[in-house]
Amino acid sequence: MLAYLVIREGTKWTDVFRLVPGRTVTIGRAPTNQIVLKNERCSRNHAEIFLTEGRWTLRDLDSRNGTRVGAQRVTGDYTLTPGDVIRIAHCQLAFVLDLSKAFADGKPDELDVERDDDSTADRVEPPAPHDTNVGELTEPTLITYRAGQTRFLNARGDDVSIPKVGQAAAKLCRLAFDLANQTNVIAVARLALDGLFEGTHVDAGAVLLAPRDKRGIPGEDVLEVIASRSDNEPNYHRVSRFLAATVLRDGEAVLGRNVEGDSNLGSCDSKGEIHTTSVICAPIRQDGRVVGLVHLYSTVEERTLDPDDLEFTLAVADNVALALKNLARQEELAENLSRSRSEVVQLRKRLGAESEIIGSSPLLAGVQQEIARAAPSRATVLIRGESGVGKELVARAVHYASPRRKGPFICLNCAALSETLLESELFGHERGAFTGATERKAGKFEAAHQGTLMLDEIGEMSPSIQAKFLRVLEGHPFERVGGSTPIKVDVRVIAATNRDLEKAVSEGKFRRDLYFRLHVVEVYVPPLRKRPEDVIELASHFLERFNAETGRRLRGFTPEAFEQMQRYRWPGNVRELKNVVERAVVLARGEYVSDEDLRLSNLATASESGEVALPQAGYEALSLDELERRHIAATLEATAWNKSRAAGILGIERSTLDRKIRRYNLRSQAPSAG
């Protein structure tokens, strides 16, 4: 038995409390009551209402100021009848079985109550009143209606309990929800037509769209029928040019009636016969542009379209536009994601290709064997070799042959940065750590997490950075510059140098413990002059690469060019060979690179380690003076007796070179030399 107490103060109804059979409702000033009235004239436990023998009964609990129903004071149990008004202090509680009968002057705006008699819930309660003098409901809210899914998504079009506007809103809500879940344009168009046929009085129609590359181009000719439907006739008849042009021009939906015989408003077949009694054409609009049309018409007099059908059609067209926009955005995101994945794969392939070591000499084969042995482990690798031999290439080969190949490969040159900047690059910094640190920055160690970090020119690292670097190598966490949060990473370190680290350790310039920590697995890369058989293979590889980059079609090298490249000592190693070939590809005039296209330097081939180029022939017993005489003479001849340049190559002063020339009685072999 449903019953309600409607609480009123003055002329305003403030709250509704539902009476539940089997539950006693107490009224009073104490907060333990179901209905709390904060008024000094109300007793702590003032009254109670309960159901007995099928009737709701009011009982006064010996209150100080009494309980009244109308003008009668309640002294014992009082049987309530619908319409009774209970008066306690300054508060009125109307007892009703039907909420609509509680308001003599109509339902006010202050009370907005929804109820459902078929609901399985047990109580309804509006928001608590703001005026504490009226009453306060302290019980947890009792729910009047439960719904896991809106009925608008499941309501039938012929539900007479819902008004026509509500039926249209329910259909539109359900249709918009379904349109958002479609995966292609055709499915959106077909679903929209089904919804339109259900919600309007049409028997034929179609959705027309302009292709994506032609949107914005005026004219009906660019529109394509995406989906069509016809219930009473065999085929759908396309919208007339006049009607389409009107909607495309004005961007407004139009409704035409009594269009029999008017081919400008209706739809016609190939013979020009008009079959429509009423027609609707609505624009599909995106960002202020009309990208398509929804065309509907009726061929039966009993199913004449009305303004409500026009409103519904326009709403569906706007939802179609939104669904198509979201679908296009999803397709664009999918394309971008696919493109990004493809680019990542291509970059990985390119990096993997660039990590391939070109050459077939025995010395290079030994390097590749050392790489194959070192790659699977987690050990630190120290790569040694002259500048330009390809130490970074060897490090990449180690990375891509290791289990970390899917992780990042980060390379940092320690000689290119000052001590402060190197520390910031390695370990990162917090905002405000130093002048110019405007934001937090992650270091190379964090960027290389679960990957490989290559540190080139490791011998140039300062002692203070070496100490911090050593702790990270030993597995200890580190902190960013200016930070206090410990950071722990999983990084494999590959160090590279062209310096003599043993000499640096003996001189106190490099930490001994760091040297032994780095010197776990050592890979030595021999200079190019010690593997001349790789020169031709490398030159051909670079020629093919720069042909593709520049668009040239050079067919190869002349025999003279090959002979000159093999005889040359390549003081700059592979880096110099690469630059020589690139310059030759750009400047070559014929189909082949000739020896004249090769611009080789006259630099000595002595490396930083002090290695001196000796004759490739067998051993010859020579004194140091004779060896020095021959070397100075060869340097002068190579520089065309440019004494300043020769002195720079030999690393001596010009005056010292003049004394040695006089000492060894050296003369130029060229007659025109000065």
Side-chain angles (χ1 to χ4, degrees), residues 36-287:
V36 179
L37 303 179
K38 291 188 176 181
N39 192 290
E40 292 299 328
R41 298 189 60 189
C42 179
S43 301
R44 292 183 58 83
N45 298 296
H46 198 102
E48 63 182 7
I49 300 176
F50 53 90
L51 183 66
T52 177
E53 297 181 356
R55 296 183 179 183
W56 289 99
T57 303
L58 170 66
R59 176 182 295 169
D60 184 78
L61 300 178
D62 298 328
S63 61
R64 181 179 59 185
N65 294 313
T67 303
R68 296 180 179 273
V69 176
Q72 179 182 354
R73 179 165 180 165
V74 178
T75 56
D77 291 349
Y78 180 88
T79 301
L80 295 171
T81 58
D84 285 342
V85 177
I86 305 171
R87 301 177 185 274
I88 300 176
H90 296 297
C91 183
Q92 302 178 28
L93 298 88
F95 173 78
V96 295
L97 301 180
D98 186 355
L99 284 176
S100 62
K101 297 180 180 180
F103 312 104
D105 52 352
K107 189 173 182 179
D109 294 336
E110 290 79 10
L111 186 61
D112 186 11
V113 181
E114 294 185 6
R115 65 186 189 278
D116 189 331
D117 293 346
D118 296 331
S119 171
T120 58
D122 50 63
R123 175 178 167 187
V124 64
E125 181 174 337
H130 297 287
D131 191 345
T132 57
N133 292 327
V134 177
E136 179 178 344
L137 305 181
T138 58
E139 271 195 342
T141 302
L142 299 180
I143 301 170
T144 178
Y145 188 86
R146 294 181 182 272
Q149 184 176 1
T150 173
R151 63 179 179 176
F152 287 157
L153 296 180
N154 297 319
R156 293 176 54 85
D158 54 355
D159 190 349
V160 297
S161 64
I162 304 177
K164 185 176 181 180
V165 176
Q167 293 180 23
K171 293 174 183 176
L172 186 61
C173 178
R174 184 173 66 254
L175 183 60
F177 182 82
D178 293 337
L179 286 173
N181 291 323
Q182 302 308 307
T183 58
N184 58 75
V185 176
I186 296 177
V188 169
R190 289 177 176 174
L191 184 62
L193 279 180
D194 292 341
L196 288 167
F197 272 66
E198 180 184 353
T200 61
H201 301 91
V202 300
D203 50 50
V207 175
L208 300 88
L209 289 176
R212 295 181 64 177
D213 57 340
K214 296 182 179 180
R215 292 180 182 177
I217 300 177
E220 184 266 344
D221 294 337
V222 300
L223 298 178
E224 300 178 357
V225 178
I226 304 301
S228 63
R229 176 176 169 180
S230 179
D231 291 347
N232 295 336
E233 291 192 358
N235 299 315
Y236 157 77
H237 299 287
R238 189 180 176 95
V239 62
S240 69
R241 290 181 177 273
F242 172 79
L243 196 61
T246 301
V247 177
L248 290 173
R249 182 186 65 249
D250 300 336
E252 297 177 345
V254 297
L255 166 64
R257 294 184 183 175
N258 300 323
V259 293
E260 188 72 26
D262 187 356
S263 60
N264 286 332
L265 291 177
S267 299
C268 60
D269 58 15
S270 59
K271 298 179 180 180
E273 298 176 358
I274 305 303
H275 301 282
T276 60
T277 60
S278 54
V279 60
I280 288 177
C281 191
I284 300 175
R285 299 167 293 197
Q286 286 184 357
D287 301 326

